[in-house]
Amino acid sequence: MARYRHYDPEQTKMIAVSYGRQLLPGTFEHALSYLIDNEIDLGRFAARFKNDETGAPAYDPAVLLKVVLFAYSRGITSSRTMARAC
């Protein structure tokens, strides 16, 4: 089983912003987040990881997929531009 870094959309560490509360119902961002978290099977990503016992935890594919799809929706296709935007 793949190990991922902890991902909590209600996290308030280091900054006083809860990302879960920033996604307003009815917006594209909220729909994208809901679809990725609840409707899309990301099991194929987990099958590729072999870090259950050794190695560092990976970033959760759900978070990375949200970043990439949202950036594409805004016309950002460069990975370096995505990194700066994050």
Side-chain angles (χ1 to χ4, degrees), residues 8-12 16-25 27 30:
D8 179 12
E10 298 300 323
Q11 164 183 326
T12 57
V17 174
S18 169
Y19 293 114
R21 293 184 188 157
Q22 296 298 312
L23 300 177
L24 302 174
T27 61
H30 184 269

Side-chain angles (χ1 to χ4, degrees), residues 60-71:
D60 192 327
V63 175
L64 299 176
L65 187 58
K66 288 178 188 181
V67 168
V68 170
L69 292 178
F70 181 72

Side-chain angles (χ1 to χ4, degrees), residues 1-51:
M1 173 133 203
R3 280 187 314 140
Y4 298 123
R5 293 175 186 254
H6 178 69
Y7 160 61
D8 179 12
E10 298 300 323
Q11 164 183 326
T12 57
K13 295 178 186 173
M14 298 183 68
I15 55 174
V17 174
S18 169
Y19 293 114
R21 293 184 188 157
Q22 296 298 312
L23 300 177
L24 302 174
T27 61
F28 172 75
E29 296 85 5
H30 184 269
L32 179 66
S33 182
Y34 176 82
L35 286 173
I36 292 173
D37 287 341
N38 300 303
E39 300 294 329
I40 297 177
D41 178 24
L42 300 176
R44 298 183 108 196
F45 290 107
R48 295 186 52 98
F49 286 98
K50 306 279 190 262
N51 66 344

